[in-house]
Amino acid sequence: HAFTARLIDAKENLDGQTEGLLLHSENFQALLLLKQRYRQKVECIHIDPPYNTQTSGFLYRNTYQHSSWLAMMADRLAAAADLLTQEGALLCHIDENEYERLHLLCNELSLPNAGTVVWDKRNPMLGRKGIATQHEYVLWRTGVQGPIYLRNASQRLILENAKQLIDKYGGVTQQARDAFSKWISACSGLSGGERANRYLNDDGRVYQSAGMSAPEPRTDPKFFIPLVHPVTQKQCPVPPYGWSRSPETLKELLEKGEILFGESESVQPRRKVFLTEDSQRQVSSVIQDTGRGKVDMDKLGLEFPYCHPQSLYVELVGAAAPSPDSVVLDFFAGSGTNGHAVIALNRDEGTRRKYLLVEVGDQFDSVLRPRMLKASYAPEWNNGKPAARNAGVSQSIKYIRLESYEDSLNNLETRRATTQQTLLDATEAQGAHGLKEQFLLHYMLDVETRGSQSLINVQAFTDPMAYKLKVKRPGSDESREVNVDLLETFNWLIGLTVHHIAAPQIFTATFERDSEKRLRLKGRLRRDADAPWWFRTVTGTTPDGRRTLVIWRKLTGDAEQDNLVLDEWFTKQGYSTKDYEFQLIYANGSNNLENLKAPDDTWKVRIIEEDFHRLMFDTEGV
């Protein structure tokens, strides 16, 4: 722990340098946690929820199959929608079993419809009743008003190969042209439109041949003026509808050598359309991808029953999150295909996209975490071994486990006085079972369990590093005590973008009383590894832009001494509540720091316990 604290202390802009966040949690709870920090900051939500079929594993009551599934999806989509940027995209995989209902649900949630992608897997499920299914759907909801484009990876690949062949053959020779055309024909993964870019211009540019016929019949005679063949000097055929370009534009194209003529005047002229890195191709309503997620997992040496191919996710995420620093969220993360796709995109394009992955299953430890580490270490794997060890990418990955509902219940401690129990027994003896039931549902949870660790025992904040919960081990009924990271929890509750987390500073001090019996420090604070007082600070920015300092300290129980030590330490750090370095200062425990009002009429210095408790149980704001 000490080494981890020093390592984190050495990193500035901590959140900015963290590429991945993995949350082991039920996804609705995780979405509520993310709400303050990532409200309107996620560019792409890409999820593959249970399809609500007999084999999906989704549990429901008897005839409430569809309504139970819709209720589950409605809660999560509504919470997730608040995280999207104005032009953010929600991509949701689904099959024909719930497609129509999901479509209507997205309409109810006012998620603008961009269309539906049909994923053609080219692998029909034969033997089923009726028609063999070989497709799934991807609902695409986004605030983008214009076209949605695929990333230009294919364009860059084509241009790079053309350059290599031109260098290999010493220029744009016939050998280079033939080799390039042959490579285009054999290259897998290119669309028909991309394969049309099979020609090399004399200056090395890549182009395709395009017709110049007008889309509708022209009436002006100028669009029917024939072009003259440069060799035979005879007129070439004019398209039946006339030219799509004016005579002036055709003249410019001729002068630039961008008109293609046939061997004789009998062939209708066409135009050269050049490929550049800026060329764009709009996402089509049908995407073909025959990849198998199982093959991806086998290469990594990991096992997972079913997952989508990484190649498909690279294209979908690349189109839905084109910004180089975009945030991608998947709250049905499964094996982590979305995270792997983001890492592959960053490696290929030199970008800094971030991924947020939420998964509640045991595969979080056995599959998802190892996959992210392996994906970062090397781009290619074979039977669990890296194919190359020199192509890794630097990654800072944070993973968090959230308290489960079962853990919350297991940590409730009831404290009932003898008089209360006597009254309850008397009430039950008189037949007033309803009153006892109401007591158990309301009074017991509100009063008798107060102070339980899972309901925020603020008394335990005197030593923030020692707050513990009993937690069940994944896949086991055995419970163990684990430390709760109060620092991290509070950062999320206030939505803090963390800049720096300092390593603990540990001090000892001696005191004396003056002639008026007022306690004061005798000398200065001294560093001592076994001293009773320690401080740890977090700095960052709240969602409303306020630069914030959070001070965590260990309290001895002697408020007078604790506050004198805080005052001395605070001054020694060069801090002041009067300057504008920080607009908001938090500290655990009561204190004597001078408090001032901020311009928005709120107090500058706040007590951690008060906001911690309020935000934990603020069901409207969080």
Side-chain angles (χ1 to χ4, degrees):
H1 293 299
F3 171 77
T4 303
R6 291 197 305 272
L7 181 64
I8 293 174
D9 188 4
K11 293 178 72 70
E12 296 293 335
N13 187 24
L14 191 59
D15 276 3
Q17 294 188 48
T18 301
E19 285 80 14
L21 174 67
L22 313 181
L23 292 100
H24 191 189
S25 168
E26 191 276 330
N27 54 15
F28 184 67
Q29 185 181 5
L31 289 170
L32 295 183
L33 182 75
L34 295 171
K35 188 173 182 178
Q36 295 295 328
R37 170 66 176 83
Y38 283 101
R39 188 192 300 271
Q40 298 182 353
K41 292 183 180 178
V42 174
E43 188 168 0
C44 171
I45 296 175
H46 186 200
I47 56 174
D48 177 31
Y51 286 0
N52 202 15
T53 60
Q54 294 293 330
T55 59
S56 69
F58 180 73
L59 301 177
Y60 51 86
R61 283 194 179 189
N62 301 325
T63 58
Y64 294 100
Q65 176 179 357
H66 298 300
S67 60
S68 297
W69 185 86
L70 278 172
M72 181 273 294
M73 291 298 294
D75 286 344
R76 284 147 184 80
L77 290 179
D82 286 341
L83 305 179
L84 285 172
T85 62
Q86 187 173 357
E87 293 191 342
L90 167 69
L91 279 62
C92 185
H93 292 252
I94 202 68
D95 67 4
E96 68 281 356
N97 192 52
E98 293 288 2
Y99 171 78
E100 292 89 352
R101 295 178 184 86
L102 182 60
H103 182 81
L104 292 173
L105 174 60
C106 289
N107 289 343
E108 288 291 322
L109 294 173
S110 300
L111 292 167
N113 185 22
T116 297
V117 171
V118 178
W119 169 29
D120 180 6
K121 298 184 284 187
R122 306 295 295 273
N123 182 27
M125 297 180 65
L126 302 174
R128 299 176 65 189
K129 181 180 178 180
I131 298 172
T133 303
Q134 71 173 41
H135 72 279
E136 291 181 18
Y137 301 107
V138 183
L139 270 71
W140 201 303
R141 300 285 173 143
T142 180
V144 172
Q145 298 299 313
I148 300 169
Y149 295 104
L150 291 169
R151 69 193 190 101
N152 62 355
S154 297
Q155 292 93 312
R156 290 187 287 109
L157 176 65
I158 293 171
L159 294 173
E160 180 61 28
N161 187 266
K163 182 178 182 301
Q164 291 176 1
L165 290 173
I166 291 171
D167 291 343
K168 177 180 179 181
Y169 290 104
V172 186
T173 63
Q174 190 58 45
Q175 283 180 304
R177 287 187 164 105
D178 291 342
F180 179 68
S181 179
K182 184 177 180 181
W183 176 84
I184 283 284
S185 298
C187 184
S188 62
L190 298 181
S191 68
E194 289 165 344
R195 292 186 191 281
N197 296 288
R198 58 190 313 108
Y199 306 106
L200 293 178
N201 203 46
D202 291 341
D203 59 5
R205 289 185 293 169
V206 176
Y207 70 89
Q208 61 176 280
S209 168
M212 293 191 293
S213 175
E216 297 178 352
R218 298 287 195 179
T219 57
D220 192 325
K222 72 177 184 180
F223 290 101
F224 292 87
I225 299 174
L227 294 176
V228 176
H229 195 280
V231 177
T232 67
Q233 295 300 307
K234 295 182 179 180
Q235 293 182 344
C236 298
V238 176
Y241 285 2
W243 301 111
S244 61
R245 304 292 195 277
S246 67
E248 294 77 16
T249 302
L250 291 176
K251 182 181 178 182
E252 292 178 9
L253 293 173
L254 278 169
E255 292 173 350
K256 292 190 293 184
E258 295 183 10
I259 298 291
L260 288 167
F261 291 93
E263 293 183 0
S264 71
E265 71 280 356
S266 63
V267 179
Q268 189 180 106
R270 296 170 66 84
R271 180 190 175 191
K272 294 179 181 179
V273 178
F274 292 96
L275 181 70
T276 69
E277 287 195 5
D278 296 327
S279 300
Q280 293 179 305
R281 181 161 66 92
Q282 192 170 0
V283 174
S284 168
S285 62
V286 178
I287 291 181
Q288 293 181 341
D289 192 310
T290 59
R292 299 285 300 278
K294 186 179 186 307
V295 174
D296 297 335
M297 300 304 287
D298 289 344
K299 289 179 179 178
L300 293 167
L302 301 171
E303 293 185 9
F304 194 71
Y306 177 76
C307 57
H308 288 158
Q310 178 195 330
S311 55
L312 174 68
Y313 277 38
V314 165
E315 294 309 315
L316 293 175
V317 172
S323 302
D325 56 353
S326 56
V327 178
V328 178
L329 167 63
D330 179 2
F331 51 90
F332 288 99
S335 67
T337 307
N338 266 312
H340 198 157
V342 170
I343 292 172
L345 283 167
N346 288 342
R347 178 184 277 114
D348 181 45
E349 299 178 357
T351 51
R352 290 292 303 273
R353 294 177 176 91
K354 297 180 184 294
Y355 52 89
L356 316 176
L357 306 181
V358 181
E359 177 54 46
V360 70
D362 293 343
Q363 67 266 16
F364 181 91
D365 288 306
S366 60
V367 179
L368 191 149
R369 276 207 305 157
R371 183 176 188 178
M372 294 305 99
L373 297 176
K374 289 189 173 187
S376 303
Y377 186 76
E380 298 294 336
W381 290 73
N382 194 359
N383 293 324
K385 297 180 180 179
R389 298 179 184 271
N390 60 350
V393 291
S394 177
Q395 289 271 296
S396 290
I397 303 174
K398 177 191 291 186
Y399 70 93
I400 300 172
R401 299 186 194 275
L402 298 187
E403 175 188 2
S404 70
Y405 296 124
E406 291 78 8
D407 292 330
S408 298
L409 294 175
N410 291 339
N411 282 275
L412 290 178
E413 297 179 10
T414 58
R415 299 172 181 86
R416 181 177 300 169
T418 304
T419 53
Q420 292 171 328
Q421 185 62 52
T422 302
L423 286 171
L424 279 175
D425 293 340
T427 301
E428 187 173 21
Q430 296 172 8
H433 301 291
L435 179 60
K436 181 178 180 180
E437 191 173 295
Q438 289 182 26
F439 173 87
L440 293 175
L441 289 174
H442 299 285
Y443 185 83
M444 184 183 74
L445 288 174
D446 187 44
V447 178
E448 291 188 357
T449 59
R450 189 174 296 166
S452 297
Q453 294 293 86
S454 56
L455 294 179
I456 308 302
N457 179 10
V458 293
Q459 300 302 318
F461 279 44
T462 55
D463 187 355
M465 304 299 288
Y467 199 100
K468 297 182 183 296
L469 282 175
K470 293 178 181 177
V471 175
K472 284 189 176 181
R473 297 174 181 270
S476 169
D477 291 332
E478 182 182 345
S479 294
R480 62 190 176 103
E481 268 199 338
V482 299
N483 274 72
V484 176
D485 193 335
L486 293 182
L487 280 70
E488 182 75 13
T489 304
F490 190 64
N491 293 343
W492 285 101
L493 288 176
I494 62 175
L496 194 69
T497 298
V498 177
H499 301 158
H500 184 252
I501 300 178
Q505 301 177 20
I506 307 175
F507 300 97
T508 187
T510 56
F511 304 89
E512 63 182 3
R513 293 194 180 274
D514 59 20
S515 59
E516 297 180 6
K517 297 185 179 181
R518 290 175 302 189
L519 191 70
R520 66 181 183 183
L521 278 173
K522 185 178 180 180
R524 295 288 184 180
L525 294 178
R526 297 186 303 277
R527 290 183 179 270
D528 187 336
D530 298 319
W533 287 281
W534 62 256
F535 294 87
R536 195 171 188 190
T537 58
V538 180
T539 58
T541 306
T542 56
D544 58 5
R546 283 183 290 182
R547 174 85 172 171
T548 301
L549 169 67
V550 185
I551 304 168
W552 291 91
R553 54 184 176 142
K554 183 178 180 180
L555 304 173
T556 64
D558 187 325
E560 194 175 10
Q561 290 187 6
D562 290 338
N563 290 336
L564 279 174
V565 171
L566 173 61
D567 293 341
E568 174 69 13
W569 172 88
F570 193 79
T571 303
K572 191 173 182 179
Q573 303 303 308
Y575 297 141
S576 170
T577 61
K578 294 180 179 179
D579 62 33
Y580 290 95
E581 180 182 2
F582 299 107
Q583 290 81 49
L584 186 58
I585 298 174
Y586 279 102
N588 65 310
S590 60
N591 59 78
N592 295 327
L593 296 177
E594 183 180 4
N595 207 349
L596 302 172
K597 276 199 172 183
D600 63 354
D601 206 37
T602 59
W603 290 108
K604 190 171 186 177
V605 179
R606 300 186 185 179
I607 297 175
I608 288 176
E609 289 88 335
E610 293 177 356
D611 277 13
F612 202 115
H613 192 275
R614 176 180 59 82
L615 291 169
M616 278 290 291
F617 299 102
D618 179 8
T619 56
E620 293 184 3
V622 179

